[in-house]
Coordinates of all heavy atoms in Angstrom, one line a residue:
Chain A
V70 N -8.4 6.0 -7.3 CA -9.7 6.3 -6.7 C -10.8 5.3 -7.1 O -11.6 5.0 -6.2 CB -10.1 7.8 -7.2 CG1 -11.5 8.1 -6.9 CG2 -9.1 8.8 -6.6
T71 N -10.7 4.7 -8.3 CA -11.8 3.8 -8.7 C -12.0 2.7 -7.6 O -13.1 2.4 -7.2 CB -11.5 3.2 -10.1 OG1 -11.2 4.2 -11.0 CG2 -12.6 2.3 -10.6
P72 N -10.9 2.0 -7.2 CA -11.2 0.9 -6.2 C -11.8 1.5 -4.9 O -12.6 0.9 -4.3 CB -9.8 0.3 -5.9 CG -8.9 0.8 -7.0 CD -9.5 2.1 -7.5
M73 N -11.3 2.7 -4.5 CA -11.8 3.3 -3.3 C -13.3 3.7 -3.4 O -14.1 3.4 -2.5 CB -11.0 4.5 -2.9 CG -9.6 4.1 -2.5 SD -8.9 5.4 -1.5 CE -7.6 5.9 -2.5
V74 N -13.7 4.2 -4.6 CA -15.1 4.5 -4.8 C -15.9 3.3 -4.7 O -17.0 3.2 -4.1 CB -15.3 5.3 -6.1 CG1 -16.7 5.4 -6.5 CG2 -14.6 6.6 -6.1
S75 N -15.4 2.2 -5.3 CA -16.1 0.9 -5.3 C -16.2 0.4 -3.9 O -17.3 -0.1 -3.5 CB -15.3 -0.1 -6.1 OG -15.0 0.4 -7.4
M76 N -15.2 0.6 -3.1 CA -15.3 0.2 -1.7 C -16.4 1.0 -0.9 O -17.2 0.4 -0.2 CB -13.9 0.4 -1.0 CG -12.8 -0.6 -1.3 SD -11.2 0.0 -0.8 CE -11.1 -0.8 0.8
V77 N -16.4 2.3 -1.2 CA -17.5 3.1 -0.6 C -18.8 2.6 -1.0 O -19.7 2.4 -0.2 CB -17.3 4.6 -0.9 CG1 -18.5 5.4 -0.4 CG2 -16.0 5.2 -0.3
D78 N -18.9 2.3 -2.3 CA -20.2 1.9 -2.9 C -20.6 0.6 -2.2 O -21.7 0.4 -1.7 CB -20.0 1.6 -4.4 CG -21.3 1.1 -5.0 OD1 -22.3 1.7 -4.8 OD2 -21.2 0.0 -5.6
F79 N -19.6 -0.4 -2.0 CA -19.9 -1.7 -1.4 C -20.4 -1.5 0.0 O -21.3 -2.2 0.5 CB -18.7 -2.5 -1.5 CG -18.8 -3.9 -0.8 CD1 -19.7 -4.8 -1.3 CD2 -18.1 -4.1 0.4 CE1 -19.8 -6.0 -0.6 CE2 -18.2 -5.3 1.0 CZ -19.1 -6.3 0.6
T80 N -19.7 -0.6 0.8 CA -20.0 -0.5 2.2 C -21.3 0.1 2.5 O -21.9 0.0 3.6 CB -18.9 0.4 2.9 OG1 -18.8 1.6 2.3 CG2 -17.6 -0.3 2.9
T81 N -21.8 0.9 1.5 CA -23.1 1.6 1.7 C -24.3 0.9 1.1 O -25.4 1.4 1.1 CB -23.0 3.0 1.2 OG1 -22.7 3.0 -0.2 CG2 -22.0 3.8 2.0
R82 N -24.1 -0.2 0.4 CA -25.2 -0.9 -0.4 C -25.5 -2.2 0.3 O -24.7 -3.1 0.4 CB -24.8 -1.1 -1.8 CG -26.1 -1.4 -2.7 CD -25.7 -1.3 -4.1 NE -24.4 -1.9 -4.4 CZ -24.0 -2.2 -5.6 NH1 -24.7 -1.9 -6.6 NH2 -22.8 -2.7 -5.7
L83 N -26.8 -2.4 0.6 CA -27.2 -3.7 1.1 C -27.5 -4.6 0.0 O -27.6 -4.3 -1.2 CB -28.5 -3.5 2.0 CG -28.3 -2.5 3.2 CD1 -29.6 -2.3 3.9 CD2 -27.2 -3.0 4.1
L84 N -27.7 -5.9 0.3 CA -28.0 -6.9 -0.7 C -29.2 -6.6 -1.5 O -29.4 -6.9 -2.6 CB -28.1 -8.3 0.0 CG -26.8 -9.0 0.3 CD1 -27.1 -10.4 0.9 CD2 -26.0 -9.2 -1.0
S85 N -30.2 -6.0 -0.8 CA -31.4 -5.6 -1.4 C -31.3 -4.5 -2.4 O -32.2 -4.2 -3.2 CB -32.4 -5.2 -0.3 OG -31.9 -4.1 0.4
G86 N -30.1 -3.9 -2.4 CA -29.9 -2.7 -3.3 C -30.1 -1.4 -2.6 O -29.7 -0.4 -3.2
K87 N -30.6 -1.4 -1.4 CA -30.9 -0.2 -0.7 C -29.6 0.4 -0.1 O -28.7 -0.4 0.2 CB -31.9 -0.4 0.4 CG -33.3 -0.5 -0.1 CD -34.3 -0.6 1.1 CE -35.7 -0.9 0.6 NZ -36.6 -1.4 1.6
R88 N -29.5 1.7 0.1 CA -28.4 2.3 0.8 C -28.5 2.3 2.3 O -29.6 2.5 2.8 CB -28.2 3.7 0.3 CG -27.9 3.9 -1.2 CD -26.4 3.6 -1.5 NE -26.2 3.4 -2.9 CZ -25.0 3.0 -3.4 NH1 -24.0 2.7 -2.6 NH2 -24.9 2.9 -4.7
S89 N -27.3 2.1 3.0 CA -27.4 2.1 4.4 C -26.0 2.6 4.9 O -25.0 2.2 4.4 CB -27.7 0.7 5.0 OG -27.3 0.7 6.3
G90 N -26.0 3.4 6.0 CA -24.8 3.9 6.5 C -24.3 3.1 7.8 O -23.4 3.5 8.5
I91 N -24.9 1.9 8.0 CA -24.6 1.2 9.2 C -23.1 0.8 9.4 O -22.6 0.9 10.4 CB -25.5 -0.1 9.3 CG1 -25.3 -0.9 10.5 CG2 -25.4 -1.0 8.1 CD1 -25.8 -0.3 11.8
A92 N -22.5 0.4 8.2 CA -21.1 0.0 8.3 C -20.2 1.2 8.8 O -19.3 1.0 9.6 CB -20.6 -0.4 6.9
W93 N -20.5 2.4 8.3 CA -19.8 3.6 8.7 C -20.1 4.0 10.1 O -19.2 4.6 10.8 CB -20.0 4.7 7.7 CG -19.3 4.4 6.4 CD1 -19.9 3.8 5.3 CD2 -17.9 4.6 6.1 NE1 -18.9 3.6 4.3 CE2 -17.7 4.1 4.8 CE3 -16.8 5.1 6.8 CZ2 -16.5 4.1 4.2 CZ3 -15.6 5.1 6.2 CH2 -15.4 4.6 4.9
R94 N -21.4 3.8 10.5 CA -21.7 4.1 11.9 C -20.9 3.2 12.9 O -20.4 3.7 13.9 CB -23.2 4.0 12.2 CG -24.0 5.2 11.7 CD -25.4 5.2 12.3 NE -26.2 4.1 11.9 CZ -26.9 4.1 10.8 NH1 -26.8 5.1 9.9 NH2 -27.7 3.1 10.5
K95 N -20.7 2.0 12.5 CA -19.9 1.0 13.3 C -18.4 1.5 13.3 O -17.7 1.3 14.3 CB -19.9 -0.4 12.7 CG -21.3 -1.1 13.0 CD -21.2 -2.4 12.3 CE -22.6 -3.1 12.4 NZ -22.6 -4.3 11.6
V96 N -17.9 2.1 12.2 CA -16.5 2.6 12.2 C -16.4 3.7 13.2 O -15.4 3.7 14.0 CB -16.2 3.1 10.8 CG1 -14.8 3.8 10.8 CG2 -16.1 1.9 9.8
V97 N -17.4 4.6 13.3 CA -17.3 5.7 14.2 C -17.5 5.2 15.6 O -16.8 5.7 16.6 CB -18.4 6.7 13.8 CG1 -18.3 7.9 14.8 CG2 -18.1 7.2 12.4
D98 N -18.4 4.2 15.8 CA -18.7 3.7 17.2 C -18.6 2.2 17.2 O -19.5 1.5 16.8 CB -20.1 4.2 17.5 CG -20.6 3.7 18.9 OD1 -19.7 3.1 19.6 OD2 -21.8 3.8 19.2
F99 N -17.5 1.7 17.7 CA -17.3 0.2 17.8 C -18.3 -0.4 18.6 O -18.5 -1.7 18.6 CB -15.9 -0.1 18.3 CG -14.8 0.1 17.3 CD1 -15.0 0.6 16.0 CD2 -13.5 -0.2 17.6 CE1 -14.0 0.8 15.1 CE2 -12.4 0.0 16.7 CZ -12.7 0.5 15.5
G100 N -19.0 0.3 19.5 CA -20.0 -0.2 20.4 C -21.2 -0.9 19.6 O -21.8 -1.8 20.2
Q101 N -21.4 -0.5 18.4 CA -22.4 -1.1 17.6 C -22.0 -2.4 17.0 O -22.8 -3.1 16.3 CB -22.9 -0.1 16.5 CG -23.5 1.2 17.0 CD -24.0 2.0 15.9 OE1 -24.4 1.5 14.8 NE2 -24.2 3.3 16.2
L102 N -20.8 -2.8 17.2 CA -20.3 -4.1 16.6 C -20.7 -5.2 17.5 O -21.0 -5.1 18.6 CB -18.8 -4.0 16.5 CG -18.1 -3.4 15.4 CD1 -16.6 -3.3 15.6 CD2 -18.4 -4.1 14.0
D103 N -20.7 -6.4 16.8 CA -20.8 -7.6 17.6 C -19.6 -7.7 18.6 O -18.5 -7.4 18.2 CB -20.7 -8.8 16.5 CG -20.5 -10.1 17.2 OD1 -21.4 -10.5 17.9 OD2 -19.4 -10.7 17.0
P104 N -19.9 -8.0 19.9 CA -18.9 -7.9 20.9 C -17.6 -8.7 20.6 O -16.5 -8.2 20.8 CB -19.5 -8.5 22.2 CG -21.0 -8.4 21.9 CD -21.2 -8.5 20.4
Q105 N -17.8 -9.9 20.0 CA -16.6 -10.7 19.7 C -15.7 -10.0 18.6 O -14.5 -9.9 18.7 CB -17.0 -12.0 19.2 CG -16.0 -13.1 19.4 CD -16.4 -14.4 18.8 OE1 -17.6 -14.6 18.4 NE2 -15.5 -15.3 18.6
A106 N -16.4 -9.4 17.6 CA -15.7 -8.7 16.5 C -15.0 -7.5 17.1 O -13.9 -7.2 16.7 CB -16.7 -8.3 15.4
K107 N -15.7 -6.8 18.0 CA -15.2 -5.6 18.6 C -13.9 -5.9 19.3 O -12.9 -5.2 19.1 CB -16.2 -5.0 19.6 CG -15.7 -3.7 20.2 CD -16.7 -3.3 21.3 CE -15.9 -2.3 22.2 NZ -16.7 -2.0 23.4
D108 N -13.9 -7.0 20.1 CA -12.7 -7.3 20.9 C -11.5 -7.6 19.9 O -10.4 -7.2 20.1 CB -12.9 -8.6 21.8 CG -13.8 -8.2 22.9 OD1 -14.0 -7.0 23.2 OD2 -14.3 -9.1 23.6
L109 N -11.9 -8.4 18.9 CA -10.9 -8.8 17.9 C -10.2 -7.6 17.3 O -9.0 -7.4 17.1 CB -11.6 -9.6 16.9 CG -10.7 -10.6 16.0 CD1 -10.1 -11.6 16.9 CD2 -11.6 -11.3 15.0
L110 N -11.1 -6.6 16.9 CA -10.7 -5.4 16.2 C -9.9 -4.5 17.1 O -8.8 -4.0 16.7 CB -11.9 -4.7 15.6 CG -11.6 -3.7 14.6 CD1 -11.1 -4.4 13.3 CD2 -12.8 -2.8 14.3
V111 N -10.4 -4.3 18.3 CA -9.7 -3.4 19.2 C -8.3 -3.9 19.5 O -7.3 -3.2 19.5 CB -10.5 -3.2 20.5 CG1 -9.6 -2.5 21.6 CG2 -11.7 -2.4 20.2
D112 N -8.2 -5.3 19.7 CA -7.0 -5.9 20.0 C -6.0 -5.7 18.8 O -4.8 -5.4 18.9 CB -7.2 -7.4 20.2 CG -5.9 -8.1 20.7 OD1 -5.3 -7.6 21.6 OD2 -5.6 -9.2 20.1
G113 N -6.5 -6.0 17.6 CA -5.7 -5.8 16.4 C -5.2 -4.4 16.2 O -4.0 -4.2 15.9
L114 N -6.1 -3.5 16.4 CA -5.8 -2.1 16.3 C -4.7 -1.7 17.3 O -3.7 -1.0 16.9 CB -7.0 -1.2 16.5 CG -6.8 0.3 16.1 CD1 -6.4 0.5 14.7 CD2 -8.1 1.1 16.4
R115 N -4.9 -2.1 18.5 CA -3.9 -1.8 19.5 C -2.5 -2.4 19.2 O -1.5 -1.7 19.2 CB -4.4 -2.3 20.9 CG -3.5 -1.7 22.0 CD -3.7 -2.4 23.4 NE -5.1 -2.5 23.8 CZ -5.8 -3.6 24.1 NH1 -5.3 -4.7 24.0 NH2 -7.1 -3.5 24.4
T116 N -2.6 -3.7 18.8 CA -1.3 -4.3 18.4 C -0.6 -3.6 17.3 O 0.6 -3.3 17.3 CB -1.6 -5.8 18.0 OG1 -2.3 -6.4 19.0 CG2 -0.3 -6.5 17.8
S117 N -1.4 -3.2 16.3 CA -0.8 -2.5 15.1 C -0.2 -1.2 15.5 O 0.9 -0.8 15.0 CB -1.8 -2.3 14.0 OG -1.9 -3.5 13.2
L118 N -0.8 -0.5 16.4 CA -0.3 0.8 16.8 C 1.0 0.6 17.6 O 2.0 1.3 17.4 CB -1.3 1.6 17.6 CG -2.5 2.1 16.8 CD1 -3.5 2.8 17.7 CD2 -2.1 3.1 15.7
I119 N 1.0 -0.4 18.5 CA 2.2 -0.7 19.2 C 3.3 -1.1 18.3 O 4.5 -0.6 18.4 CB 2.0 -1.8 20.3 CG1 1.0 -1.3 21.4 CG2 3.3 -2.2 20.9 CD1 0.5 -2.4 22.3
L120 N 3.0 -1.9 17.3 CA 3.9 -2.4 16.3 C 4.5 -1.2 15.5 O 5.7 -1.2 15.2 CB 3.3 -3.4 15.4 CG 3.1 -4.8 15.9 CD1 2.3 -5.7 14.9 CD2 4.5 -5.5 16.1
A121 N 3.6 -0.3 15.2 CA 4.1 0.9 14.4 C 5.2 1.6 15.2 O 6.2 2.0 14.7 CB 2.9 1.8 14.1
V122 N 4.9 1.9 16.5 CA 5.8 2.6 17.3 C 7.1 1.9 17.5 O 8.2 2.4 17.2 CB 5.2 2.9 18.7 CG1 6.2 3.6 19.6 CG2 4.0 3.8 18.6
L123 N 7.0 0.6 17.8 CA 8.2 -0.2 18.0 C 9.0 -0.3 16.7 O 10.3 -0.3 16.8 CB 7.8 -1.7 18.5 CG 7.4 -1.8 19.9 CD1 7.0 -3.2 20.2 CD2 8.5 -1.3 20.9
T124 N 8.4 -0.5 15.6 CA 9.1 -0.6 14.3 C 9.9 0.6 14.0 O 11.0 0.6 13.6 CB 8.1 -0.9 13.2 OG1 7.3 -2.1 13.5 CG2 8.8 -1.2 11.9
V125 N 9.2 1.8 14.3 CA 9.9 3.1 14.0 C 11.1 3.2 14.9 O 12.2 3.5 14.5 CB 9.0 4.2 14.3 CG1 9.7 5.6 14.3 CG2 7.9 4.3 13.2
V126 N 11.0 2.8 16.2 CA 12.1 2.9 17.2 C 13.2 1.9 16.7 O 14.4 2.3 16.6 CB 11.6 2.5 18.6 CG1 12.8 2.3 19.5 CG2 10.7 3.5 19.1
I127 N 12.9 0.7 16.3 CA 13.9 -0.3 15.9 C 14.6 0.3 14.7 O 15.8 0.3 14.6 CB 13.2 -1.6 15.6 CG1 12.8 -2.3 16.9 CG2 14.2 -2.6 14.8 CD1 12.0 -3.6 16.7
M128 N 13.8 0.8 13.7 CA 14.4 1.3 12.5 C 15.4 2.4 12.7 O 16.5 2.4 12.2 CB 13.2 1.7 11.6 CG 13.6 2.3 10.3 SD 13.9 4.1 10.3 CE 12.3 4.8 10.7
V129 N 14.9 3.4 13.6 CA 15.8 4.6 13.8 C 17.1 4.1 14.6 O 18.2 4.5 14.2 CB 15.0 5.6 14.6 CG1 15.9 6.8 15.0 CG2 13.9 6.2 13.8
V130 N 16.9 3.3 15.6 CA 18.0 2.9 16.4 C 19.0 2.1 15.6 O 20.2 2.2 15.8 CB 17.5 2.2 17.7 CG1 18.7 1.6 18.4 CG2 16.8 3.2 18.6
L131 N 18.5 1.3 14.7 CA 19.3 0.4 13.9 C 20.0 1.1 12.8 O 21.2 1.1 12.6 CB 18.4 -0.7 13.4 CG 19.1 -2.0 12.8 CD1 19.8 -2.7 13.9 CD2 18.1 -2.8 12.1
L132 N 19.2 1.9 12.1 CA 19.7 2.5 10.8 C 20.5 3.7 10.9 O 21.5 3.9 10.3 CB 18.5 2.7 9.8 CG 18.2 1.6 8.9 CD1 17.2 2.1 7.9 CD2 19.4 1.1 8.2
V133 N 20.0 4.7 11.8 CA 20.7 6.0 11.8 C 22.2 5.9 12.2 O 23.0 6.4 11.5 CB 19.9 7.0 12.6 CG1 20.7 8.3 12.8 CG2 18.5 7.3 12.0
P134 N 22.4 5.2 13.4 CA 23.9 5.1 13.7 C 24.7 4.3 12.7 O 25.8 4.6 12.4 CB 23.8 4.4 15.1 CG 22.4 4.5 15.6 CD 21.6 4.6 14.4
T135 N 24.0 3.2 12.2 CA 24.8 2.3 11.3 C 25.1 3.1 10.0 O 26.3 3.1 9.6 CB 23.9 1.1 10.9 OG1 23.4 0.5 12.0 CG2 24.7 0.2 10.0
M136 N 24.2 3.8 9.4 CA 24.4 4.5 8.2 C 25.4 5.7 8.4 O 26.2 5.9 7.5 CB 23.1 5.0 7.6 CG 22.2 3.9 7.1 SD 20.6 4.5 6.5 CE 21.1 5.4 5.0
T137 N 25.3 6.3 9.6 CA 26.3 7.4 9.9 C 27.7 6.8 10.0 O 28.6 7.4 9.4 CB 25.9 8.1 11.2 OG1 24.5 8.5 11.1 CG2 26.7 9.4 11.4
W138 N 27.8 5.7 10.7 CA 29.1 5.1 11.0 C 29.7 4.7 9.7 O 30.9 4.8 9.4 CB 28.9 4.0 11.9 CG 30.3 3.5 12.5 CD1 30.9 2.3 12.2 CD2 31.1 4.2 13.4 NE1 32.1 2.3 12.8 CE2 32.2 3.4 13.6 CE3 31.0 5.4 14.1 CZ2 33.3 3.8 14.5 CZ3 32.0 5.8 14.9 CH2 33.1 5.0 15.1
V139 N 28.9 4.1 8.8 CA 29.4 3.6 7.5 C 29.9 4.8 6.7 O 31.0 4.7 6.1 CB 28.3 2.8 6.7 CG1 28.7 2.6 5.3 CG2 28.1 1.5 7.4
R140 N 29.2 5.9 6.7 CA 29.7 7.1 6.0 C 31.0 7.6 6.5 O 31.8 8.0 5.8 CB 28.6 8.2 6.1 CG 27.7 8.2 4.9 CD 26.5 9.1 5.2 NE 25.5 8.7 4.2 CZ 25.5 9.2 2.9 NH1 26.3 10.2 2.6 NH2 24.6 8.9 2.1
L141 N 31.1 7.5 7.9 CA 32.3 8.1 8.5 C 33.5 7.2 8.4 O 34.6 7.6 8.1 CB 32.0 8.4 10.0 CG 31.0 9.5 10.2 CD1 30.8 9.7 11.7 CD2 31.5 10.9 9.7
R142 N 33.3 5.9 8.7 CA 34.4 5.1 8.9 C 34.6 4.0 7.9 O 35.7 3.5 7.6 CB 34.4 4.4 10.3 CG 34.6 5.4 11.4 CD 36.0 5.9 11.4 NE 36.3 7.0 12.2 CZ 36.9 7.0 13.4 NH1 37.3 5.8 13.9 NH2 37.1 8.1 14.1
L143 N 33.5 3.5 7.3 CA 33.6 2.4 6.3 C 32.9 2.7 5.0 O 32.0 2.0 4.6 CB 32.9 1.2 7.0 CG 33.4 0.7 8.3 CD1 32.4 -0.2 9.0 CD2 34.7 0.0 8.2
P144 N 33.3 3.8 4.4 CA 32.6 4.2 3.1 C 32.6 3.1 2.1 O 31.7 3.0 1.2 CB 33.4 5.4 2.6 CG 34.6 5.5 3.4 CD 34.4 4.7 4.7
G145 N 33.6 2.2 2.1 CA 33.6 1.1 1.2 C 32.5 0.1 1.4 O 32.2 -0.6 0.4
M146 N 31.8 0.2 2.5 CA 30.7 -0.8 2.8 C 29.4 -0.2 2.4 O 28.4 -0.9 2.5 CB 30.7 -1.0 4.3 CG 31.8 -1.8 4.9 SD 31.6 -3.6 4.5 CE 30.2 -4.0 5.6
T147 N 29.4 1.0 1.9 CA 28.1 1.7 1.5 C 27.2 0.8 0.6 O 26.0 0.5 0.9 CB 28.3 3.0 0.8 OG1 29.3 3.7 1.6 CG2 27.1 3.8 0.7
R148 N 27.8 0.3 -0.5 CA 27.1 -0.5 -1.4 C 26.5 -1.8 -0.8 O 25.4 -2.2 -1.0 CB 27.9 -0.9 -2.6 CG 28.3 0.2 -3.4 CD 27.3 0.5 -4.5 NE 27.3 1.9 -4.9 CZ 26.3 2.7 -4.9 NH1 25.1 2.3 -4.6 NH2 26.4 4.0 -5.3
T149 N 27.4 -2.4 0.1 CA 26.9 -3.7 0.8 C 25.7 -3.4 1.6 O 24.7 -4.1 1.6 CB 28.1 -4.2 1.6 OG1 29.3 -4.2 0.8 CG2 27.8 -5.6 2.1

Side-chain angles (χ1 to χ4, degrees):
Chain A
V70 170
T71 309
M73 290 203 247
V74 171
S75 307
M76 286 167 91
V77 173
D78 177 57
F79 174 69
T80 56
T81 56
R82 194 170 41 167
L83 300 177
L84 278 179
S85 59
K87 285 183 186 167
R88 294 282 167 186
S89 162
I91 179 72
W93 289 95
R94 280 200 293 279
K95 287 177 186 169
V96 169
V97 178
D98 177 12
F99 284 3
Q101 296 188 22
L102 278 173
D103 168 64
Q105 205 186 344
K107 182 189 160 190
D108 289 348
L109 202 63
L110 196 70
V111 169
D112 186 49
L114 187 60
R115 192 194 303 125
T116 308
S117 275
L118 290 177
I119 294 172
L120 281 172
V122 173
L123 285 179
T124 306
V125 168
V126 171
I127 290 173
M128 179 272 293
V129 171
V130 170
L131 195 70
L132 267 190
V133 175
T135 308
M136 291 176 69
T137 309
W138 193 253
V139 166
R140 265 168 195 273
L141 291 177
R142 290 295 168 103
L143 306 162
M146 290 284 290
T147 310
R148 293 273 154 232
T149 313

